[in-house]
Amino acid sequence: MLLTMTTIHAPATDLGFLLHKHPDRFQSFSLSVGKAHVFYPEARADRCTACLLLEIDPVAMVRRRGQDQPPLLDHYVNDRPYVASSLMSVAMSRVFGTALSGNCQHRPALVGQAIDLSATIDVLPVRGGEAILHRLFEPLGYEIEATRHPFDEQFPEWGESPYYSVTIRGRKTVSELLRHLYVLIPVFDNEKHYFVGEDELEKLLAKGEGWLTEHPEKEMISKRYLKYRSSLYRQALDSLLDESEQTTSEVSWTPRREESLEASLSLNEQRHGTVLAALRASGAKRVVDLGCGEGKLLRELLKEKQFEQILGMDVSVRSLEITSNRLKLDRLSEKKAARIKLMHGSLMYRDRRLEGWDAAAVVEVIEHLNPPRIQAFERVLFEFAKPTTIVLTTPNREYNIVWESLPAGSFRHADHRFEWTREEFRTWAKDISKRYAYHCRFISIGPEYENYGPPTQMVVFERVSAS
Ligand code: SAH
């Protein structure tokens, strides 16, 4: 991967002083995972360009992982040698360490001067799409140009990849530009750092000094940079909070921080709350939770007297064990114990125990089913079990683009077999309603974006006749 930096600020060859690398030389540096090269394709008084080229050796990278992990194929065959990732940040600090820290013994006045700079990164993986590029670079005052690459030009049907060529332009000191890139390149990539360690937090705070505190997306940046290690992430937020209190005492950070943390934490609760409300409104007394997982909804159902009979069903015995322990089913009073039962079963097979219930909840389950088997599921639920009310939720794929903590890959969970857009979901639900004589209505769950809709979509089916 290649990082290219250009200035037209005369005399442009000053870039050589600022980077501490002579424009006439081609220099190479050994890294533990490969080599970094610095060279200047052009070095004139009116325009000067420096390149940092990284050559990653995948075998060295695997060896570096240590003896405790057996090497797997994907340790050798992956995108790491070809994309800008945390390895680029490692190379930047090795090769441009002095420039990053903003030192220049020979020309100290030069270092603090903001000049017209541009930087191009080939190739940058951006998890979360182009919107993330704008959200992270624009508050820092950069103009952005991004070209998205298809997976393979020969096979346009494979669609667009998460890889971009990105150029940013702004009036910055060289040290600012390097520090922004050092922190943000791994943030866009959002993969696990190869070198993540306890000192990662210090690096973030040091390289983020003077800009991260003010950045509106500082939470996403810290979270992704520290790759969800929540203890480090919270420490980072606390440190950023201290810093901002010193400089802008009238700005209150605490409520905003809590609000947005809570917002990202509580989607699951919002989902269960909305499902519960729909079940309550249906008047159901006997409810079955299909694919009940670890029993979060069951716990809520148990709290409500309206639900006289509750059944939790899942294909995973392990989940049922966890549910049983969590709800302490073996220690419930006789009266409560008579209200709830768990059963092992699959939504793929007709099961008489699922017949005759007032309502069924199917929360975040359908996307785990294999598409060719969806028809079997439809018959099991709508033709045989046919409860009066069915409340079903599933992710809205359109929202993934704004889902900041979306892991690499296009689905939210490794076990998701598909995710529907709003249109696909509605088409499916309307079609099924017609075929099995149900009415349906749709409800959004979670914060809605104008173009992408909500993170979770829900449908409530009501059976038309009691037949
Ligand atoms: N409804 C729960 C869990 C969702 S995770 C919640 O909202 O928290 C999806 C669940 O569906 C998992 O527990 C998984 O074991 C279950 N599941 C997947 N395929 C299934 C099938 N064929 N039959 C029943 N459950 C299934």
Side-chain angles (χ1 to χ4, degrees), residues 349-374:
Y349 302 99
R350 180 177 184 178
D351 192 323
R352 293 202 184 276
R353 294 172 294 176
L354 299 181
E355 289 170 22
W357 293 82
D358 296 334
V362 196
V363 181
E364 306 294 280
V365 173
I366 192 168
E367 66 276 6
H368 292 265
L369 308 179
N370 242 343
R373 308 297 314 276
I374 293 280

Side-chain angles (χ1 to χ4, degrees), residues 272 291-293 313-316 319 345-348 363-365 368-369:
H272 287 148
C292 62
M313 183 270 234
D314 205 287
V315 77
S316 155
S319 294
S346 167
L347 283 164
M348 292 301 162
V363 181
E364 306 294 280
V365 173
H368 292 265
L369 308 179

Side-chain angles (χ1 to χ4, degrees), residues 302-316:
L302 258 180
K303 288 184 198 158
E304 311 236 351
K305 292 222 167 62
Q306 173 183 338
F307 306 116
E308 295 168 4
Q309 288 273 294
I310 303 163
L311 176 66
M313 183 270 234
D314 205 287
V315 77
S316 155

Side-chain angles (χ1 to χ4, degrees), residues 1-2 29 31-37 53-62 75-76 78-91 194-195:
M1 60 287 233
L2 185 66
F29 302 80
L31 305 171
S32 56
V33 292
K35 280 196 169 140
H37 310 283
L53 175 69
L54 205 50
E55 258 186 293
I56 297 296
D57 174 356
V59 176
M61 217 163 82
V62 174
H75 293 158
Y76 291 96
N78 55 45
D79 65 359
R80 300 295 89 183
Y82 315 107
V83 302
S85 65
S86 53
L87 300 176
M88 179 59 103
S89 302
V90 171
Y194 274 91
F195 305 119

